[in-house]
Amino acid sequence: MSQTLQESYLNLRAAVQGAIEAGGLRARAAVAYETAVTYWEVGGLIQAYVREQEGVYGRAVYKQLSVDLGLRERLLYEMVEVNRAFPNLRSTARLTWAHYSRLSSVSLDVDRMSYLNQAADGGWTVRELDARIKLGTEASSEAPCSTETLGRMPRAKRGRSTPSWCARTASSARRSGAQPGSSPRDLAS
């Protein structure tokens, strides 16, 4: 092959390889999206069935579905939990089923949506989401909104939206006359 023909072929090979890799990424994102939507729909179906069948013991339904469909019973419960936590699923290709499952454990809707938006916008992995939820939970039970606590928070969490526990604590602190940067422990003494 001549030099020009070889360079041309190398360019073609790189373009083909790039297209295959990009297609693989799009395919994985589509599968993740469809998995989240499907599991959410299944959770709604189970929830509606158990609610309509007053005499049916819910746990027996989960056990039987698990056996019949070859799915883990815990996964079926998670499907219902996510459906309850997100009545209107806003699925995005950036978030996987594992993200939604983890988010369903956040008790306040406003906090759950804050984490969802930040995870989607920031491209957080499930591990990053989990760490930030844990940090928020630890912070809210220790010293919410103190300058020390906020300093330990990741920049994204301190940014656009303040978790509701932080806003509630800040307003409570103002009413009680706490100084900026103090914590609830300071008020107790």
Side-chain angles (χ1 to χ4, degrees), residues 33-48:
Y33 170 82
E34 289 301 328
T35 299
V37 170
T38 301
Y39 284 6
W40 177 83
E41 288 175 355
V42 169
L45 293 170
I46 295 169
Q47 187 173 228

Side-chain angles (χ1 to χ4, degrees), residues 73-129:
E73 193 174 334
R74 179 67 204 140
L75 177 60
L76 295 170
Y77 278 104
E78 286 175 12
M79 291 175 185
V80 172
E81 289 170 10
V82 169
N83 186 277
R84 284 182 185 147
F86 297 97
N88 300 306
L89 185 69
R90 180 190 134 209
S91 187
T92 163
R94 294 185 203 147
L95 299 181
T96 65
W97 171 253
H99 286 92
Y100 288 103
S101 180
R102 180 61 182 100
L103 284 164
S104 70
S105 69
V106 176
S107 57
L108 293 174
D109 291 345
V110 70
D111 289 345
R112 187 178 318 114
M113 294 312 292
S114 174
Y115 285 121
L116 178 131
N117 291 330
Q118 290 180 52
D121 294 345
W124 294 352
T125 64
V126 176
R127 283 186 179 175
E128 288 172 309
L129 173 63

